[in-house]
Structure formats: structure tokens, C-alpha cells
């Protein structure tokens, strides 16, 4: 997360992480625009590079070779990445509507979401659409294993659509599937391929020479090509065409012309016949000067172009410059599409055909040339120059188009504030942001957020005891909504670890100073995330305090209720000799987020870590109690060893901890091996004195993870040995899929050190 003293003055929201937006991010990363914040809202954290997709299918590239890591790129660009699907735009309110989070406000919007398959043919849901590519990849992996396990009779694979994409994909799939069968010593002829195309020629947008080359290749590779065959129905195992022709097909891949996403129809933006957004030659929508579009989703009103990644890429720099210019009220650049462009189309077997205007060349050298171009392109998005801090530049803000009131607020936000009342966020901002929240109703809350006073008043039901806890930490992710969810989860963790029910919470937050409406939006996003988690736990937010600070931070004082003399109370000190030690979530958040700040992680590692942090421990706690857990704590800043020692000590026992069994977040061993640890790690490492045999394990790759501080970590608990298998099975079924048995409890020995490591 890039921290900057610059208040945010304008928000550019980029919908989709397509080929144009990755170019925008790179340019803003190289030259940040002071006061401008970029936010990408995207369904995926890895952008597939279409040019290399067939090479990936053919088996020449790995997944990472052909995907731009949007997480790393956003980090480099200082942009926020919100993982979500956009389902609408409220142009009147200037908000982007997302499927799983509150609407996101914009000052300027850009759309680069590619095309959506138009599966209008009856039964086409039985087919595998090539877009979105991540969906195709899942189905492709399934097809690979289907072919590997298919032992009897032929397997017929049909590709519908004879454009460059369809032909290239078919040849790539055939090459790969045959290679897989050969490796298994099986007959490659069991696979039968067909290309079914509505037109009279394959590759209709390419010259006859290129077409002839592909006709020859398809013939040589025994592909049945059916021309003038417009598929009007798909049945299980059968393709039915308009003229009555029928073709057997066990697997159907759909690579026909796509269209615009259906939700665009409700935006009021002008669309073409296929539902793509009309833009002028500045890539701006004619209806709304605040909205731009690029790539497949945009149709240039005056120069309709073929839908190809090459145009999406070329639009990136112009789009970036025009977004900057639009914010400064400066003239926009014109995007001039090339009349002829070079298409390099591969045939699966490290051979490719170059096509440009009326020219065409083919050969293995064309493949090598394509490979060189593609890899060079990908390097632009994986190798970054060292990150330089954003200039703290007051004058730059003045270049942005702002009202005089906004300018005053921006200057005031930059100025040194006193630490007293000036450090408190304005009451109207706060009440407006909090007023939009839907806090769960509880009868025992007598005075809460709905009817605010100096303090909240809450009744403790008879026979109940109050369980108090407090937690607070600074934002380590740029997404305030997600951060709110994780902070609430983290704070509730203590209550659940005690086996209590959460009752009420008060929040304490700091937000960086800025324009009032930006601060309000930030608070609203963050508190919406938090309140959703609190509400799910039946915990009412009853009040709080928000102040200005250099960084976004959030914490909660949470109250829980428990029966006064309850046997369900789970203390740290209840471990019994013979109990089994279990952990409900994987560890590694400390090293992963330290590495994330250094651009040394993969987007999917961070994604998985965030998903784990956002998972509540509530159900886990209920399950542990059901199986008679004898002791429990939630893993936070002290790391696994620190929390374990907090339990063994008061329990008067020793513990055996199995390094091999530790559940780990994906990527944690890589980042630890790279020597990247959290800034809290050195303090935790002091606890190595609690290890009896640390000398034997000090070079073990997992050893440092014993000290890795966790955020919103899992529950560490002991369960009687006869209950543990059923308990683990239930925890896994409840979604804690990485729950693991990580050790056992031993009688206290003579040695001072309570923890013995094993690696079994
Ligand atoms: C098999 C095949 C091979 C191809 N080969 C080539 C080639 O060699 N050269 C070439 O020029 N073209 C090629 N193409 C065409 C190329 O794939 C497209 O033209 C290109 O991907 C378009 O890029 P884009 O940036 O518009 O969108 P995309 O690359 O499709 O990116 C869209 C992004 O938006 C995200 N998104 C979508 N909907 C939403 C939503 N509602 N909310 C949030 N995020 C969303 C997606 O997750 C994705 O990150 C090929 C196509 C196929 C099918």
C-alpha cells in the first residue's frame, strides 16, 4: 500500500483489468498524478494476455507466463484493486454498482471489460465459451483430465467459429491433447476435431494467402472443416445447423462473435447493435464526458474496428493521457487506429503465420518472432523500476479542475493540523457516513447508533457475564471495504476464542485528511464492510470515534456475553495432556503482506490471504465447543509460537508441534525463503527460547513461520483425542478447509522449554 501525504482530490475508477487498463496503470505508475487516485474494479486478479493464450493451451507457456498480475501492477501504480463484478453505473450519483460491495464513487470512469459471449443459440450453455478466459481455463483443465481418462471410443471435439481465435485455439488444443495422449502411450486418433463455421471462408478478415495456409494446416492435421454451417441448436453430443446438417460433438468450444455485457443496457450510454459502447475518437462516450471506454467493449463510432487485443493495447497510452487531460480540463488526444496491423497466428506446434494487409508469411521463425514479441510485452508488466514515493506536491493539485471550496479543503487537508479538535473528523461527515449504515437491531441496546448520545447504554441480560476485548490496526490493504471486514473479524476473534456470543462494538478509526466527500466515502466503505461482519455475528455497532491520522486505521472494542458459570468458556489455560492441537486457518499473513509491499508476491496469493482473513471464526468456535475443546485462542500478532506458549504456560503442560503439518497460505514459503518477514517478526523471534530443540530446526524452511504475526488468524485449540477426527471433519465441511492437526499436548517435563518441534 503506497502511503502519501497528498490528499485525494479526484478518483478515477477503471472497470475491468483488460489490455488497455494495464497500459493505463503502467503509465500512472511511471508518472503518478498528484491528488489522483486510481481504483481498478475487476473480477479477476490476473489478466490473461490473449496473444499468448493459444501457446498456454498448447502447453508452451505456464499460467504465470501468460497472465499479467493485476495485484502487483496495481501496487506498482499506487492503485487500489477491488475484486468485484461491476453490474451497473448510476450516472446521476456518479457511482459504480458492484455485485458484492457498496457502490463506489467516481469522478472519471473508464470501462475495459472485453466482450461477453452471446450464447443466444438454444442449448449453447452446454458449450464452453472462450470468454471470460478464467472460466475457459477451468473448463479447459476439466477437458484435459477428461481426455486423459477417456479410454473407450472416439472423443469428438468441435470448435464453433472459424475466425482467427477459433482456428488458433483448435490447433493449440489438438497439439496439446495429442501430446498428452502420446505421453500416456495412447492412440492419438481417438480424438476427432471439427471446425464449424457459419461463413464461406475461415479467417474471413485475413487475406487469401493466409487463409490457404490455414486450410492446408487443418487438412494435414485431419480437422473436419464445415463451412456455411450456422449452428442453431446444441444438444447433448450434437450440433444442429440452420440447413439441417448435424455433427456429433462430445465437447463444444464456442468462439463466435461476442457482444457487450448485458448490464450496459441500463446505463443510458449509447451502444451499437452488439451492445458495445459507442465512443468517439478520444475514446470518450458521446453521452457522458466523464466516461471513457477502450478495448473490445468500445466501438469507435467513426472507425468500427475488429475486436482484437492489439487495438486494446494500443488504446492504453491514449486512454491514460486522456484521463489525465480530462481531469485538468485540457484538450484530449485522438486515437488513430492503424489501417493494417500485424497478426501472428500460431498453429499449436511452435509454428505461426504472420498476416498483414495482403501479406502473409509462415514458418517456425514466425513463431519464434511472436514468442519474442509476446514475452517482451509481458515483461513490461512484470519488471518494474524501483518504486519512487509520490511527490508531495501542493501545486500539482491546482492543475486539477476543482471548485474553490474543494481547493480550500485540499489546502486545509495538506496543512498541519493541531492534535486536538482538529484531529477529529467533522461531525457532519461522520454522521452522514454512519447514517447510511444498517446496524443490526438488538433489544439489549438501550441507546446506540440510531439515537446517539455521549455514550451507548447496553443491558446485560440476567445470568450473563460480559467478555471485553479491544483490537486496533492500520490498513494493510487499499480496499477500505475489505479492510473494514477484516478489522471487524479480527476484533471479534477474541470473543469467539472465548466461546462467547458477540453483543456490541464501539469503533475507533483514523482517516487521512482530505476533501470532505472523499473522507465520507472512505468512512462509508470501511464501516459498511465492518458493519456487515458485525451484523452477521449479531453484534450491534453502538458508537465510536473517528479522528484524522496519517494512515487509515480501524479497531473495535467488542463486548460479548457468556453464561456466568458456563462450562463452554474456552480459556487459554485448559489444555489437557493427551489432547490434540488443531489450527483452523493457514498461517503466513505477516510475510505475505510484507512481501506484497515489495511487489514480491503474486496477486492470487494476496487474494487467498485476504479471503482467509475475511473468514469469520464464529462457526469455528461453535464447532470447537461442540467437540469439547479444552482450550482456545485466536492467532494474531504474536504468531503461532507466541500464542501456543500463552496456552501451555497457564495449562501447566508441554506441547509437540509438527512443522510438516502446519497449514500455510499459498506463497508463504516462497516469501519466507526470499527472506521477507513482517516488521513484527523480530520481536516474536525472541520467543524461540520456548523451543526445546530449536537448533535442529533453525534451517527448516517452515521454522520462520512459527514467528509470523497473523491478522485475523484462525483458532488454535486443543480437543480431546477421541473427538479430533470428527471435529476436524466438521470444521473443514464448514469452510475451514485447511484445518489441520498440528501437534499434541504432553505432560510438563523437566526442561524449561515447553515446546518440542517435530517434522513428520
Ligand atoms: C483464443 C483467442 C486468441 C486470441 N488471440 C489474439 C491475438 O493473438 N491477438 C489479438 O490482438 N487478439 C487476440 N484475441 C482477441 C482478444 O482476446 C481480445 O480482443 C482482447 O482480449 C480484448 O481485450 P480487452 O482489453 O478489451 O478485454 P479483456 O482482455 O477481455 O479484459 C477484460 C477484463 O475485464 C474484466 N471484467 C469483465 N467484466 C467485468 C465486470 N463486469 N466487472 C469487473 N471486471 C470485469 C475481466 O476479468 C478482464 O480482466 C484472441 C481471442 C481469442 C478468443
Amino acid at each position: 500500500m503506497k502511503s502519501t501525504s497528498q490528499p485525494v482530490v479526484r478518483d478515477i475508477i477503471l472497470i475491468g483489468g483488460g489490455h488497455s487498463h494495464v497500459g493505463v496503470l503502467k503509465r500512472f505508475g511511471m508518472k503518478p498524478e498528484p491528488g489522483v487516485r486510481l481504483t481498478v474494479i475487476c473480477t479477476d486478479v490476473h489478466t490473461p494476455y490473449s496473444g499468448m493464450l493459444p501457446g498456454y493451451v498448447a502447453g508452451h507457456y505456464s499460467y504465470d507466463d501468460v497472465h499479467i498480475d493485476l495485484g502487483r501492477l496495481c501496487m506498482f501504480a499506487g492503485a487500489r484493486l477491488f475484486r468485484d463484478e461491476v453490474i451497473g453505473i448510476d450516472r446521476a450519483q456518479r457511482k459504480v454498482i458492484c455485485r458484492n460491495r457498496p457502490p463506489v464513487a467516481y469522478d472519471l470512469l473508464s470501462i475495459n471489460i472485453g466482450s461477453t459471449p452471446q450464447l443466444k443459440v438454444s442449448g449453447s450453455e452446454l458449450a464452453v465459451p472462450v470468454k471470460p478466459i478464467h472460466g475457459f481455463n477451468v473448463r479447459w483443465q476439466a477437458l484435459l483430465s477428461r481426455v486423459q481418462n477417456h479410454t473407450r471410443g472416439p472423443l469428438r471435439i468441435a470448435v464453433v467459429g472459424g475466425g482467427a481465435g477459433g482456428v488458433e485455439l483448435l490447433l493449440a488444443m489438438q497439439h496439446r491433447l495429442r501430446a498428452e495422449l502420446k505421453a500416456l502411450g495412447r492412440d492419438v486418433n481417438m480424438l476427432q476435431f471439427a471446425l464449424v463455421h457459419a461463413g464461406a471462408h475461415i479467417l474471413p478478415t485475413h487475406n487469401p494467402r493466409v487463409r490457404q495456409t490455414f486450410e492446408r494446416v487443418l487438412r494435414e492435421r485431419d480437422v473436419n472443416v464445415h463451412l456455411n454451417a450456422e449452428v442453431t441448436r446444441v444438444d447433448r453430443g450434437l450440433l444442429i445447423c440452420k440447413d439441417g446438417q448435424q455433427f456429433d460433438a462430445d465437447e463444444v468450444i464456442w468462439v463466435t462473435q461476442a457482444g457487450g455485457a448485458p448490464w450496459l443496457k441500463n446505463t443510458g450510454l449509447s451502444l451499437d447493435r452488439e451492445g458495445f459502447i459507442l465512443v468517439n475518437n478520444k475514446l470518450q462516450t458521446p453521452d457522458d464526458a466523464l466516461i471513457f471506454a477502450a478495448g473490445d467493449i468500445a466501438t469507435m463510432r467513426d472507425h468500427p474496428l475488429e475486436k482484437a487485443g492489439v487495438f486494446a493495447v494500443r488504446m492504453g497510452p491514449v486512454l491514460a493521457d486522456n484521463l489525465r487531460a480530462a481531469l485538468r480540463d485540457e484538450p484530449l488526444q485522438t486515437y488513430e487506429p492503424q489501417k493494417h496491423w500485424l497478426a501472428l497466428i500460431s498453429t499449436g506446434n511452435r509454428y505461426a503465420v504472420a498476416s498483414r494487409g495482403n501479406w502473409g508469411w509462415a514458418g517456425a521463425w514466425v513463431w519464434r518472432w511472436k514468442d519474442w514479441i509476446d514475452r517482451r510485452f509481458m515483461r513490461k508488466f512484470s519488471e518494474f523500476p524501483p518504486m519512487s514515493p509520490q511527490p508531495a506536491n501542493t501545486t500539482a493539485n491546482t492543475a486539477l479542475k476543482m471548485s474553490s471550496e474543494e481547493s480550500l479543503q485540499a489546502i486545509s487537508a495538506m496543512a498541519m493540523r493541531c492534535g486536538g479538535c482538529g484531529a477529529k473528523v467533522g461531525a457532519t461527515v461522520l454522521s452522514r457516513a454512519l447514517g447510511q449504515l444498517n446496524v443490526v437491531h438488538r433489544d439489549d441496546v438501550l441507546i446506540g447508533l440510531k439515537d446517539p448520545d455521549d455514550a451507548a447504554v447496553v443491558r446485560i441480560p440476567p445470568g450473563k457475564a460480559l467478555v471485553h476485548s479491544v483490537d486496533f490496526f492500520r490498513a494493510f490493504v487499499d480496499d477500505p471495504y475489505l479492510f473494514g471486514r477484516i478489522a471487524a473479524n479480527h476484533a471479534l476473534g477474541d470473543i469467539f476464542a472465548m466461546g462467547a456470543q458477540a453483543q456490541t462494538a464501539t469503533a475507533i478509526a483514523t482517516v487521512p485528511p482530505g476533501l470532505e466527500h472523499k473522507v465520507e466515502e472512505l468512512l462509508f466503505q470501511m464501516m459498511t464492510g465492518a458493519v456487515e461482519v458485525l451484523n452477521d455475528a449479531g453484534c450491534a455497532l453502538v458508537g465510536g470515534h473517528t479522528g484524522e491520522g496519517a494512515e487509515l486505521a480501524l479497531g473495535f472494542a467488542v463486548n460479548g456475553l457468556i453464561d456466568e458459570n458456563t462450562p463452554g468458556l474456552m480459556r487459554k489455560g485448559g489444555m489437557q495432556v493427551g489432547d490434540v492441537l488443531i489450527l483452523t486457518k493457514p498461517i503466513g499473513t505477516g510475510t505475505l503482506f510484507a512481501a506484497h509491499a515489495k511487489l514480491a508476491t503474486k496477486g492470487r496469493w494476496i487474494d487467498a490471504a485476504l479471503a482467509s482473513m475475511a473468514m469469520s471464526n464464529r462457526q469455528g468456535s461453535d464447532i470447537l465447543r461442540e467437540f469439547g475443546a479444552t482450550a482456545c485462542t485466536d492467532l494474531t500478532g504474536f504468531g503461532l509460537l507466541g500464542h501456543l506458549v500463552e496456552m501451555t504456560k497457564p495449562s501447566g503442560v508441554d506441547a509437540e508441534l509438527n512443522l510438516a503439518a502446519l497449514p500455510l497460505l499459498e506463497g508463504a514459503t516462497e516469501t519466507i525463503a526470499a527472506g521477507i518477514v513482517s516488521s513484527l517478526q523480530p520481536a516474536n523471534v525472541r520467543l524461540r527460547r520456548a523451543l526445546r530443540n530449536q537448533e535442529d530446526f533453525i534451517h527448516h524452511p517452515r521454522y520462520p513461520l512459527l514467528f509470523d504475526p497473523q491478522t485475523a488468524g484462525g483458532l488454535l485449540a486443543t480437543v480431546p483425542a477421541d473427538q479430533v477426527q470428527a471435529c476436524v471433519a466438521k470444521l473443514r465441511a464448514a469452510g475451514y478447509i485447511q484445518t489441520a492437526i498440528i501437534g499434541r499436548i504432553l505432560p510438563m517435563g523437566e526442561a524449561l522449554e515447553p515446546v518440542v518441534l517435530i517434522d513428520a
Side-chain angles (χ1 to χ4, degrees):
M1 195 171 145
K2 263 188 189 176
S3 120
T4 165
S5 55
Q6 192 75 40
V8 174
V9 176
R10 288 289 176 263
D11 272 299
I12 300 179
I13 305 295
L14 305 177
I15 305 179
H19 294 61
S20 314
H21 281 171
V22 294
V24 171
L25 288 164
K26 183 75 193 278
R27 275 174 103 86
F28 272 78
M30 300 297 289
K31 189 170 170 244
E33 187 72 40
V36 176
R37 176 170 58 192
L38 258 64
T39 303
V40 181
I41 309 178
C42 191
T43 41
D44 298 301
V45 73
H46 294 276
T47 291
Y49 173 45
S50 54
M52 291 173 91
L53 184 72
Y56 165 70
V57 169
H60 307 314
Y61 301 122
S62 70
Y63 181 91
D64 285 335
D65 286 337
V66 305
H67 284 84
I68 296 169
D69 189 329
L70 214 48
R72 283 188 73 223
L73 181 58
C74 284
M75 193 73 188
F76 166 73
R80 306 187 298 179
L81 175 61
F82 293 1
R83 285 292 310 286
D84 213 320
E85 182 191 3
V86 172
I87 52 169
I89 301 170
D90 179 346
R91 286 169 53 207
Q93 300 291 321
R94 293 193 196 166
K95 297 223 164 153
V96 176
I97 318 292
C98 300
R99 190 170 293 285
N100 297 311
R101 56 180 306 129
V104 181
Y106 66 84
D107 296 299
L108 216 53
L109 188 62
S110 176
I111 307 172
N112 177 214
I113 54 171
S115 34
T116 307
Q118 305 293 293
L119 300 177
K120 288 179 186 154
V121 168
S122 147
S124 58
E125 66 283 355
L126 296 170
V128 179
V130 73
K131 293 277 180 122
I133 287 172
H134 69 88
F136 169 75
N137 188 37
V138 173
R139 304 280 293 263
W140 166 239
Q141 298 303 327
L143 176 57
L144 266 172
S145 60
R146 180 176 177 183
V147 169
Q148 284 157 353
N149 297 317
H150 185 88
T151 45
R152 280 205 191 160
L155 187 71
R156 291 151 300 207
I157 298 172
V159 170
V160 178
V167 172
E168 199 178 12
L169 193 63
L170 185 152
L171 292 170
M173 290 195 309
Q174 190 197 47
H175 175 82
R176 173 72 179 278
L177 295 175
R178 283 181 167 181
E180 295 287 334
L181 286 183
K182 253 189 211 154
L184 293 170
R186 306 242 303 276
D187 178 13
V188 295
N189 293 319
M190 64 169 262
L191 292 173
Q192 294 174 8
F193 282 86
L195 181 68
V196 184
H197 181 56
H201 304 286
I202 57 165
L203 295 125
T205 55
H206 294 268
N207 64 63
R209 202 164 156 166
V210 168
R211 248 183 258 150
Q212 280 158 16
T213 307
F214 275 98
E215 281 160 6
R216 175 181 55 77
V217 172
L218 290 165
R219 248 192 333 271
E220 286 169 5
R221 302 259 290 261
D222 293 328
V223 177
N224 294 314
V225 179
H226 305 288
L227 299 174
N228 299 309
E230 186 182 336
V231 177
T232 48
R233 214 171 86 214
V234 182
D235 270 350
R236 210 161 276 285
L238 202 63
L239 290 176
I240 299 150
C241 296
K242 199 175 176 181
D243 63 0
Q245 293 188 80
Q246 297 193 353
F247 307 109
D248 293 331
D250 302 306
E251 287 278 351
V252 178
I253 318 293
W254 208 259
V255 200
T256 61
Q257 187 59 281
W263 58 265
L264 288 168
K265 292 193 185 108
N266 303 323
T267 58
L269 296 171
S270 300
L271 309 178
D272 72 4
R273 277 201 345 210
E274 275 76 42
F276 294 115
I277 303 168
L278 286 176
V279 293
N280 59 25
N281 59 7
K282 320 284 183 201
L283 305 176
Q284 190 177 36
T285 62
D287 318 279
D288 192 331
L290 300 181
I291 302 184
F292 290 73
D296 275 11
I297 196 60
T299 292
M300 292 188 68
R301 215 175 27 183
D302 304 324
H303 308 267
L305 299 169
E306 192 175 327
K307 301 294 179 194
V310 63
F311 294 115
V313 169
R314 295 280 174 103
M315 287 176 185
V318 178
L319 179 64
D321 291 350
N322 284 354
L323 290 171
R324 277 186 215 272
L327 288 178
R328 295 159 172 233
D329 212 12
E330 288 171 3
L332 305 183
Q333 275 187 43
T334 299
Y335 169 69
E336 304 274 6
Q338 315 116 274
K339 279 210 181 63
H340 297 296
W341 74 97
L342 177 69
L344 298 169
I345 311 161
S346 55
T347 58
N349 50 349
R350 296 185 190 269
Y351 184 94
V353 181
S355 164
R356 188 172 201 277
N358 289 322
W359 294 91
W361 309 269
W365 66 271
V366 181
W367 160 264
R368 287 195 296 276
W369 182 30
K370 174 175 165 54
D371 176 62
W372 179 80
I373 293 175
D374 288 342
R375 286 186 190 271
R376 188 185 55 167
F377 174 79
M378 291 301 281
R379 272 201 300 278
K380 286 189 195 162
F381 300 100
S382 58
E383 293 172 8
F384 304 118
M387 295 208 296
S388 50
Q390 226 186 69
N393 181 344
T394 42
T395 53
N397 276 339
T398 57
L400 300 176
K401 205 170 68 176
M402 278 195 284
S403 68
S404 50
E405 169 62 20
E406 284 180 326
S407 303
L408 277 175
Q409 284 184 23
I411 291 164
S412 145
M414 295 286 297
M416 281 291 277
R417 302 279 179 125
C418 76
C421 56
K424 199 170 166 180
V425 168
T428 43
V429 172
L430 193 58
S431 58
R432 271 202 309 258
L434 297 184
Q436 299 173 64
L437 303 175
N438 274 324
V439 171
V440 72
H441 172 82
R442 285 186 65 107
D443 288 340
D444 47 10
V445 175
L446 306 178
I447 297 176
L449 213 56
K450 283 259 160 354
D451 181 21
D453 214 304
D454 292 329
V457 180
V458 180
R459 186 190 300 123
I460 304 175
K464 295 281 181 185
L466 206 55
V467 182
H468 287 289
S469 175
V470 65
D471 257 308
F472 179 78
F473 57 95
R474 46 191 269 260
F476 55 91
V477 274
D478 282 313
D479 179 344
Y481 169 77
L482 191 57
F483 173 57
R485 290 189 69 91
I486 292 170
N489 231 342
H490 186 89
L492 287 167
D494 286 334
I495 303 293
F496 298 141
M498 294 297 288
Q501 301 293 317
Q503 184 202 29
T504 55
T506 42
I508 177 98
T510 62
V511 285
L515 299 188
E516 272 187 17
H517 64 277
K518 300 285 176 200
V519 173
E520 182 182 327
E521 161 84 2
L522 185 68
L523 266 174
F524 171 66
Q525 292 279 335
M526 181 170 76
M527 293 312 296
T528 301
V531 164
E532 281 177 8
V533 170
L534 294 172
N535 283 357
D536 272 357
C539 179
L541 181 72
V542 290
H545 173 90
T546 306
E548 283 180 356
E551 290 179 309
L552 188 66
L554 178 63
F556 294 91
V558 188
N559 292 331
L561 295 173
I562 198 150
D563 291 338
E564 222 167 321
N565 298 309
T566 179
L569 190 71
M570 295 192 291
R571 302 287 311 272
K572 288 180 185 168
M575 290 173 150
Q576 304 288 321
V577 173
D579 281 354
V580 178
L581 193 60
I582 61 181
L583 179 59
T584 61
K585 287 191 198 178
I587 58 173
T589 60
T591 173
L592 279 171
F593 280 89
H596 185 44
K598 294 177 190 268
L599 297 179
T601 48
K602 294 187 197 300
R604 60 176 176 277
W605 296 350
I606 294 301
D607 236 36
L610 289 171
S612 175
M613 290 172 174
M615 184 162 190
S616 167
N617 280 334
R618 182 166 64 134
Q619 227 188 328
S621 156
D622 290 345
I623 295 170
L624 286 168
R625 269 189 304 155
E626 183 188 329
F627 287 92
T630 48
C632 183
T633 191
D634 62 323
L635 280 202
T636 56
F638 298 132
L640 176 60
L641 185 65
H643 289 288
L644 180 58
V645 172
E646 277 187 342
M647 297 172 88
T648 52
K649 231 176 170 179
S651 303
V653 294
D654 287 351
E656 180 184 83
L657 190 58
N658 184 359
L659 282 173
L662 298 184
L664 304 181
L665 286 164
E666 194 192 350
T669 37
E670 283 89 337
T671 53
I672 280 287
I676 305 173
V677 294
S678 154
S679 54
L680 288 180
Q681 177 111 350
N684 289 351
V685 168
R686 286 189 208 124
L687 256 184
R688 65 180 182 274
R689 60 176 181 265
L691 294 170
R692 202 171 300 166
N693 51 349
Q694 54 147 321
E695 292 307 324
D696 300 338
F697 291 94
I698 210 150
H699 299 298
H700 192 288
R702 291 177 164 214
Y703 176 80
L705 285 159
L706 295 174
F707 310 100
D708 186 64
Q710 303 305 297
T711 301
L715 296 173
L716 176 65
T718 42
V719 177
D722 59 346
Q723 297 290 312
V724 74
Q725 293 302 341
C727 179
V728 168
K730 191 154 186 184
L731 282 162
R732 288 185 182 155
Y736 305 96
I737 49 169
Q738 282 187 261
T739 299
I741 295 173
I742 61 166
R744 62 194 179 108
I745 304 307
L746 309 171
M748 191 185 250
E750 297 286 300
L752 283 176
E753 304 89 351
V755 181
V756 186
L757 292 178
I758 61 164
D759 182 23

